[in-house]
Amino acid sequence: MKKQLTLIASVAFLAGVISMSSCKKADTTAPVITVTGGNDQTASLGTSWTNPTATATDDQDGDISTSITVTGTVDPNTKGTYTLTYSVSDAAGNKADQAVVIHIVNDAEMYTGNYSVHDTVPTIPAFNYNITITTDNTVNGKIHFAHYSAALVGFADYQNNDNVYATISGSTVTLPLQNENPIGTDNSSHDFSGNGTVTQTSAPIMFNITYTDHDITNSTTANGCVQTYTHF
């Protein structure tokens, strides 16, 4: 009789275990990935870059951060928008993906757009023209002066003068010595250099440049030329 009771108890225990096992829910919940700094981030062009760190937690497996893999690359030396994908799977095979958008930006981006320019040159009347400013794709703080709309007028109101550039750092504008040719109606060669100041960063953005225009072809030099740029 004792053996029979023991056998019955064992069968009952096994039945309970089987019953409990059959009632246990399958793990269908994916892990959660959290990226340091968020899913949309911005970095300055030309600065060193390291992919953001991330953590992953699972309702069954706990911390599985060491299992995270990252696909995609960011080129910190080229302006653009990049996407990194963080992925991880738990022990049950549930996978989580988290896309992170990285914007590599030129810090002078706020200065892009169309400007009216008031240009004064000693010995001749002041003149006005429009110009478009863009930012460089690989050098932070570098801006380019290009002709506005269908007009061919570029920097200093010369035709076909679209390759002049400057740099902006804080409120300082620098126009490095550079040669442009052929430009103007006579296809001449000019050296430009100068510096200036950002005078207003709220709308309308304004800055000025005091520059020297050395006309090599015609052996003339204009010193103390002043441009005032106003965004429109």
Side-chain angles (χ1 to χ4, degrees), residues 129-132 146-154 157-162:
Y129 54 98
N130 294 330
I131 207 165
T132 297
H147 66 255
Y148 168 72
S149 188
L152 295 178
V153 171
D157 204 28
Y158 288 105
Q159 289 185 356
N160 302 311
N161 193 20
D162 283 346

Side-chain angles (χ1 to χ4, degrees), residues 188-200:
S188 53
S189 174
H190 290 246
D191 280 345
F192 298 103
S193 63
N195 55 73
T197 304
V198 176
T199 57
Q200 186 165 304

Side-chain angles (χ1 to χ4, degrees), residues 3-173:
K3 289 183 178 181
Q4 289 179 334
L5 291 175
T6 301
L7 179 60
I8 292 171
S10 298
V11 171
F13 175 77
L14 289 173
V17 171
I18 293 171
S19 176
M20 290 176 63
S21 298
S22 63
C23 292
K24 185 178 180 180
K25 293 182 179 179
D27 180 5
T28 59
T29 303
V32 175
I33 299 174
T34 303
V35 179
T36 303
N39 301 330
D40 193 290
Q41 303 188 29
T42 300
S44 295
L45 177 66
T47 57
S48 59
W49 175 260
T50 301
N51 289 342
T53 58
T55 59
T57 56
D58 184 70
D59 62 342
Q60 299 294 322
D61 303 331
D63 186 351
I64 54 174
S65 302
T66 57
S67 298
I68 295 175
T69 60
V70 183
T71 56
T73 58
V74 174
D75 180 359
N77 298 310
T78 302
K79 186 175 70 173
T81 299
Y82 303 86
T83 300
L84 299 174
T85 302
Y86 290 70
S87 303
V88 71
S89 296
D90 62 15
N94 300 304
K95 185 180 181 182
D97 293 312
Q98 181 63 65
V100 180
V101 177
I102 307 295
H103 307 277
I104 300 297
V105 300
N106 189 317
D107 289 337
E109 208 66 44
M110 64 181 291
Y111 298 102
T112 59
N114 300 319
Y115 288 77
S116 60
V117 185
H118 180 70
D119 207 325
T120 60
V121 177
T123 72
I124 65 173
F127 49 99
N128 300 287
Y129 54 98
N130 294 330
I131 207 165
T132 297
I133 290 178
T134 61
T135 56
D136 197 80
N137 288 331
T138 60
V139 179
N140 196 33
K142 186 176 182 180
I143 62 173
H144 297 272
F145 301 91
H147 66 255
Y148 168 72
S149 188
L152 295 178
V153 171
F155 184 84
D157 204 28
Y158 288 105
Q159 289 185 356
N160 302 311
N161 193 20
D162 283 346
N163 295 316
V164 176
Y165 68 91
T167 60
I168 298 180
S169 179
S171 62
T172 300
V173 183

Side-chain angles (χ1 to χ4, degrees), residues 117-122 127 208-211 223-228:
V117 185
H118 180 70
D119 207 325
T120 60
V121 177
F127 49 99
N208 57 59
I209 299 176
T210 300
Y211 69 100
N223 292 306
C225 308
V226 179
Q227 301 168 326
T228 300

